[in-house]
Amino acid sequence: MADTVSSADAPAVFGARGYPAALEWLARRAEAFVIPLAALVVGMLLFSLFIALVGKSPVQLYETMWRGGFGSWFSIQNSLSRGAPLLLAALCVALPARLGLVVIGGEGAIVLGGVAAAATGVALSGAPSSIVILAMGVAGMAAGGIWIGAVGALRHYRAVNETISSLLMAYIAIALMNHLVEGPLRDPASLNKPSTQPLADAYRIGNIPGMEVHWGLVVGIVACILSWLLIEKTRWGFAARIAGGNVRAAQVQGLAVGPLIVGFTALAGGFAGLAGMLEVGAVQGSANASLAAGYGYTGILVAFLARHNPLAIIPVAILLGGINASGGLIQRRMDLPDATVLVLQGMLFVVILFSETFYGRFKAFNPDLWKRGA
Amino acid sequence: MDATEIGLWGVPLAILGGAIRVSTPFIFVSLGEAITERSGRINLGLEGTLVFGAMTAYAVAVMTGSPWLGLLAAAAAGLCFGLFHGWICKFPGVNDIAIGIALMLLGSGLAFFFGKPFIQPSAPDLPAIPFGGWSDIPQVQAALNVNVLFLIGAALAVFLWWAFRNTRAGLILRVVGDSSDAARAMGLNPNTVRLIATGLGGALAGIGGAYLSLYYPGSWTERISSGQGLMAVALVIFARWNPLGCFAAALLFGGAGALGPALQSVGVTQGYYLFYAAPYILTLIIMIATSSPSRSLAGAPGELSITK
């Protein structure tokens, strides 16, 4: 009989419902891949409809997007460069999300991290470069960590909604950055575009050997891997996931939810601040208004598309980097405004959020509900 | 007294004028969000609706020459965004806060996409009533130049305050917002009520956006809004979902927002960005002061997700 219990020393080739165990294993895991991929495809189709309605060819658009994003070594490197800050910006959203918090103020942490790093780099001029770069990283992470950690503290200790407070803090941070960059920290030589004093060449972050992409990409990937290990393999991550499911249950269990929330939000902010430091150290060379380039907001989309899984953030960030990289080409070749890319991102975001309703609804992914098989 | 010598009196005068001028979009967006939140939904996407409404109003006003048609178009566009938010949030498992963020991004993206050709042309403005005509001093005249929409907004606030308490529609709205189960027991469909409430909220936000592009600042650019939609959501909580409270809080925020330009007009340019951040800081302080982890917010609609 197919559903008798098999003997203990032989591996069960057939699962409890009579299908091959491998198939049942695959079916359970497939949901997490199939639904997001389907959402991505549906999002792209809806966007194609939109493009067709405004009178352009969707096929040409996707072709241009491919060429601009991944069609040549040059475009791949462009995509990787644009994806690098997104890795860290997305972590700023994904880590608190595992705790059940929706934090969208990464832009503020990036900006302040950049300013702090620039100020540190200038203040320590003359010191050995490895020390300065390390200090800049620490300063960037500290600034961002304090900023978003405050959001977490306000949420736990004062019940202030973290979505609204983090976005308000982002606006405040950008105003603070503008004030510092045009005032106390301004480089007198920068007339057209106020910025801090440029960093000495020795303190700049260089490119990965053989590529035109800076080391920030590696930093981002490492941060994602470490985050995944933290969430899935450590007891703090386990505690965080419990708190994310039900705060009261976590507290009843004796978990110190407050320090957990503040710790995770501070880490999330630290990663965003690091992204700001990398923008200053590797790309801009100084802190100025260009720091507020919208990475924080794109990071929100990356995190939700990756369903807040740090490992999934890596490919999604590169995909979005590619979409952004193709924006300029789309603008030139197809005479479409650069906001086209924003529309695509918005549509993908809405569709992926809508797809949340389909989890647990399809019998195909739940072998326990299958009819008894051969 | 010579008209140009009012000196430092210019600051409180400018703040008053600014409070009236800057608060108008806040009034409409917060009243709209008050309706939505009273029904038990939170719509963070109003920022995107606001921007899209601003673009629509400007574009239609440029194309038809009538600011009022632009206003109507903005309200219609806002209604569509609101209905979409209301529709998509009724599905189980969909996070209404996240959808709001997504619509914020989508609304802005669509607005910038369609609004590109309208950045240069100029559109007719919405009319204002010069209440300051009795004075010769230009600053007084400027401060008391009140736009029609401000007056409409004030009337709307009073009407909604009355309607929430004394009409059947107001009761239905409040029941759905306090308890879905009680509403269903009464034979109401909570999702339909929330759909309509969110749609209305979007329409009002669209009108708020129209004010931005058709009066103050009076032009369409990609920088037209800077978080007004979001601050309005915080404002509603601060005002305890009371329309009159929303009106008063909007005036407060308008005054805070006018602080920077007012100081600039008397020559104070140091720390300009910090004064520009005043409304955000004020919003944050108010949110901190009015939230408490032990007591649930007094008067909060029971079904609202952020108060649970």
Side-chain angles (χ1 to χ4, degrees):
Chain A
M1 286 274 286
D3 53 352
T4 48
V5 176
S6 48
S7 59
D9 48 319
V13 175
F14 287 95
R17 307 301 285 183
Y19 292 93
L23 185 66
E24 295 197 3
W25 182 91
L26 195 67
R28 278 185 221 278
R29 301 248 170 340
E31 202 182 37
F33 283 99
V34 169
I35 294 187
L37 273 171
L40 214 65
V41 168
V42 169
M44 294 287 200
L45 283 172
L46 284 173
F47 184 64
S48 307
L49 194 67
F50 170 75
I51 291 294
L53 284 173
V54 293
K56 303 279 178 180
S57 154
V59 174
Q60 189 190 6
L61 182 86
Y62 287 124
E63 195 194 25
T64 316
M65 217 181 268
W66 171 257
R67 196 153 359 120
F70 302 101
S72 66
W73 181 230
F74 173 77
S75 12
I76 293 178
Q77 288 182 104
N78 199 358
S79 305
L80 289 174
S81 295
R82 287 168 187 265
L86 294 180
L87 292 163
L88 291 166
L91 284 176
C92 187
V93 179
L95 283 173
R98 298 306 286 263
L99 275 158
L101 303 175
V102 182
V103 170
I104 59 175
E107 188 82 355
I110 290 176
V111 158
L112 287 180
V115 170
T120 311
V122 167
L124 294 180
S125 310
S129 62
S130 46
I131 302 226
V132 175
I133 293 181
L134 192 67
M136 281 171 61
V138 168
M141 288 193 78
I146 291 173
W147 208 245
I148 305 289
V151 170
L154 282 175
R155 164 62 200 244
H156 181 76
Y157 297 107
R158 286 295 298 183
V160 176
N161 178 272
E162 72 283 1
T163 310
I164 300 177
S165 69
S166 65
L167 201 53
L168 288 172
M169 300 272 280
Y171 283 118
I172 297 173
I174 292 174
L176 193 61
M177 181 269 294
N178 278 318
H179 170 77
L180 289 172
V181 158
E182 293 199 11
L185 296 180
R186 182 186 188 146
D187 175 18
S190 63
L191 289 170
N192 283 348
K193 184 179 182 185
S195 38
T196 58
Q197 286 178 337
L199 294 170
D201 281 343
Y203 305 147
R204 298 288 297 271
I205 295 174
N207 290 336
I208 303 169
M211 300 170 87
E212 293 284 315
V213 183
H214 60 81
W215 281 103
L217 179 69
V218 174
V219 172
I221 293 178
V222 168
C224 285
I225 295 176
L226 287 176
S227 298
W228 183 83
L229 288 171
L230 173 70
I231 292 176
E232 301 289 335
K233 304 290 180 191
T234 67
R235 59 186 169 93
W236 301 288
F238 185 57
R241 282 180 285 136
I242 294 178
N246 188 328
V247 175
R248 235 167 257 136
Q251 284 170 321
V252 161
Q253 286 289 318
L255 289 175
V257 178
L260 204 61
I261 288 181
V262 176
F264 265 79
T265 46
L267 181 65
F271 282 139
L274 193 61
M277 172 261 177
L278 289 166
E279 248 327 88
V280 166
V283 180
Q284 300 281 339
S286 64
N288 50 52
S290 301
L291 273 177
Y295 295 125
Y297 300 119
T298 315
I300 302 172
L301 172 59
V302 172
F304 274 95
L305 267 176
R307 303 196 72 234
H308 308 300
N309 179 331
L311 286 184
I313 284 177
I314 299 174
V316 173
I318 295 174
L319 173 71
L320 252 85
I323 293 177
N324 278 340
S326 64
L329 199 65
I330 292 175
Q331 196 183 352
R332 286 192 303 273
R333 290 278 172 85
M334 296 187 64
D335 195 29
L336 281 169
D338 48 5
T340 314
V341 162
L342 284 176
V343 174
L344 172 60
Q345 289 176 357
M347 285 189 177
L348 286 177
F349 202 170
V350 174
V351 173
I352 201 84
L353 287 174
F354 182 67
S355 72
E356 290 287 327
T357 198
F358 292 113
Y359 288 90
R361 287 230 204 155
F362 293 119
K363 281 203 246 170
F365 298 118
N366 190 352
D368 294 331
L369 297 176
W370 292 351
K371 291 214 253 294
R372 306 238 156 190
Chain B
M1 177 169 86
D2 186 5
T4 56
E5 283 179 354
I6 57 171
L8 277 179
W9 277 111
V11 177
L13 205 57
I15 291 182
L16 172 69
I20 297 174
R21 221 186 352 252
V22 179
S23 68
T24 310
F26 283 118
I27 296 174
F28 280 94
V29 181
S30 66
L31 287 177
E33 181 67 10
I35 298 175
T36 307
E37 291 196 13
R38 280 283 186 135
S39 80
R41 274 275 160 72
I42 184 163
N43 184 355
L44 283 176
L46 287 184
E47 176 74 12
T49 310
L50 182 90
V51 173
F52 193 81
M55 189 280 298
T56 311
Y58 200 79
V60 171
V62 164
M63 291 193 291
T64 63
S66 158
W68 295 104
L69 278 179
L71 190 75
L72 225 56
L79 181 70
C80 292
F81 269 90
L83 288 175
F84 183 68
H85 185 282
W87 174 76
I88 208 172
C89 282
K90 76 167 189 202
F91 292 97
V94 178
N95 180 339
D96 57 353
I97 290 187
I99 287 281
I101 301 168
L103 283 180
M104 189 161 50
L105 295 174
L106 182 63
S108 307
L110 284 171
F112 299 157
F113 181 88
F114 288 115
K116 251 308 200 290
F118 294 104
I119 295 183
Q120 292 286 42
S122 67
D125 283 351
L126 286 167
I129 302 178
F131 281 107
W134 48 269
S135 164
D136 285 331
I137 307 172
Q139 282 94 333
V140 174
Q141 284 182 336
L144 292 180
N145 210 17
V146 175
N147 189 284
V148 205
L149 274 186
F150 177 80
L151 301 168
I152 296 178
L156 190 64
V158 175
F159 170 71
L160 283 177
W161 171 78
W162 173 84
F164 280 167
R165 291 154 156 253
N166 298 338
T167 65
R168 193 158 171 272
L171 179 65
I172 290 176
L173 190 71
R174 285 185 290 136
V175 168
V176 168
D178 277 327
S179 165
S180 294
D181 292 333
R184 281 196 204 99
M186 273 173 64
L188 300 166
N189 183 342
N191 281 325
T192 312
V193 175
R194 288 186 188 134
L195 184 74
I196 298 173
T198 317
L200 281 174
L204 287 176
I207 294 178
Y211 175 89
L212 284 175
S213 64
L214 290 179
Y215 187 68
Y216 181 78
S219 63
W220 161 248
T221 63
E222 297 191 356
R223 297 210 162 279
I224 193 144
S225 168
S226 42
Q228 273 106 323
L230 189 80
M231 283 191 275
V233 176
L235 215 156
V236 170
I237 300 174
F238 166 53
R240 291 286 179 271
W241 298 273
N242 177 339
L244 292 179
C246 290
F247 181 73
L251 278 173
L252 182 67
F253 282 68
L259 195 62
L263 285 170
Q264 230 190 359
S265 69
V266 289
V268 177
T269 49
Q270 293 279 52
Y272 167 69
Y273 286 106
L274 296 180
F275 289 114
Y276 174 71
Y280 306 111
I281 299 175
L282 182 66
T283 311
L284 193 61
I285 291 174
I286 285 172
M287 281 201 73
I288 296 173
T290 59
S291 305
S292 161
S294 48
R295 296 170 290 119
S296 65
L297 294 170
E303 291 284 334
L304 206 56
S305 54
I306 61 168
T307 60
K308 284 190 184 165

